[in-house]
Amino acid sequence: MRAFVVTKYKEPLQEADVPEPTMGEHDVLVRVEAAGLNPLDEKIRAGEFKQILPYKVPLILGNDVAGTVVRVGTAVRGFKPGDEVYARPHQDRIGTFAERIAVAEGDLALKPASISMEEAGSLPLAALTAWQALVERGKLRPGQKVLIHAGAGGVGSIAIQLAAHLGASVATTASGSNAAYVRALGADTVIDYRTQDFEQLLTGYDLVLDSIGGETLEKSLRVLKPGGKAIGIAGPPDPAFARQAGLNPLLRLAVTALSRKIRKQAKKLGVTYEFLFMHASGDQLRQITTLIDQGAVRPVVGKVFPFDQTPQALQSLSQGGIRGKAVIGNS
């Protein structure tokens, strides 16, 4: 089976022949038709998460998949060969930059009927991140105010649409050239991050979804109203994440130290900070599928690369300039 593999951290992907995926009784073997590209893939390749995500090399990257069911395990009841499906595989079982992947049945959902394979391949990680931030963690309600940073990006493009669907008032940061684009997605207020300071223009927000971190996260705390919440997907990780990830006591202490400053700032302001490392969920994907097929949320694919250009496609993420998601496709 052909795949693109990390043979050593910080080195480019290499094409290789690898063994067929091993299947358990609750697994579904999927022929990969499209795979989304995510900053997470590049961070794993660069070894940034070695302490908290102890992958062993050689490693097949890829956190998004859309494809066709080839075979199912003996205990699988929800899928059959020929089904068109999509998923974000569990973090311990990534590897969608390959011809086939075995996915746990519980992480899989039928592909939305109204979109293409490439569009479906762009969705799982970004859409689940947006869902878990706004619905699961943020409990966003009609009439509330939410700030979504990097609105033209992969997560931001979906999060704006979801927040608008939920009835929230949506502010976002984007470049001036993307202002009309993010407004069309549902943003009510657009801040040009190149010429404007969102901290000086926004106040009284219930929720912030931050994908940038650093100074942007610190400023985000100050636009929240008392009791508001900032959810960060760029870090720093917090103690709750360390417990959930089952890190050893030493690493828990290190993670606690990493986020101590931002948590202390949040407490002083009467708000909260949470780190979100999204998790796989076929159930949530099915709810997202309903929204897509109803037209409430649409995938945004900025560029499709052929499978044999996977290394170049991954490198292109650092160059920016792609609205929505970049995808590897076989068509």
Side-chain angles (χ1 to χ4, degrees), residues 2 4 32 37 43 73 86 117 142 144 164 167 169 233 249 273 319:
R2 292 170 62 220
F4 283 93
V32 179
L37 292 154
K43 289 179 179 180
Y86 71 148
M117 279 290 185
Q144 289 190 316
S169 174
I233 61 175
Y273 165 72
Q319 299 169 9

Side-chain angles (χ1 to χ4, degrees), residues 1 53 64 78 192 210 264:
M1 180 182 77
L53 293 176
D64 280 322
D192 184 343
D210 173 56
K264 186 176 180 179

Side-chain angles (χ1 to χ4, degrees), residues 32 34-45 49 53 55 59-66 86-98 101 103 107 120-129 277-281 285 310 314 317 325-326 328:
V32 179
L37 292 154
N38 295 284
L40 176 61
D41 297 307
E42 176 58 18
K43 289 179 179 180
I44 294 172
R45 184 199 66 81
F49 292 143
L53 293 176
Y55 293 118
L59 168 69
I60 304 172
L61 290 180
N63 285 268
D64 280 322
V65 64
Y86 71 148
R88 194 280 187 176
H90 188 275
Q91 67 187 51
D92 294 335
R93 302 183 64 183
I94 65 171
T96 64
F97 296 168
I101 184 172
V103 182
D107 298 339
S122 76
L123 278 168
L125 187 142
L128 286 170
T129 299
F277 190 89
M278 58 77 58
H279 58 86
S281 174
L285 276 180
T310 299
L314 190 62
L317 293 184
K325 289 289 292 292
I328 299 162

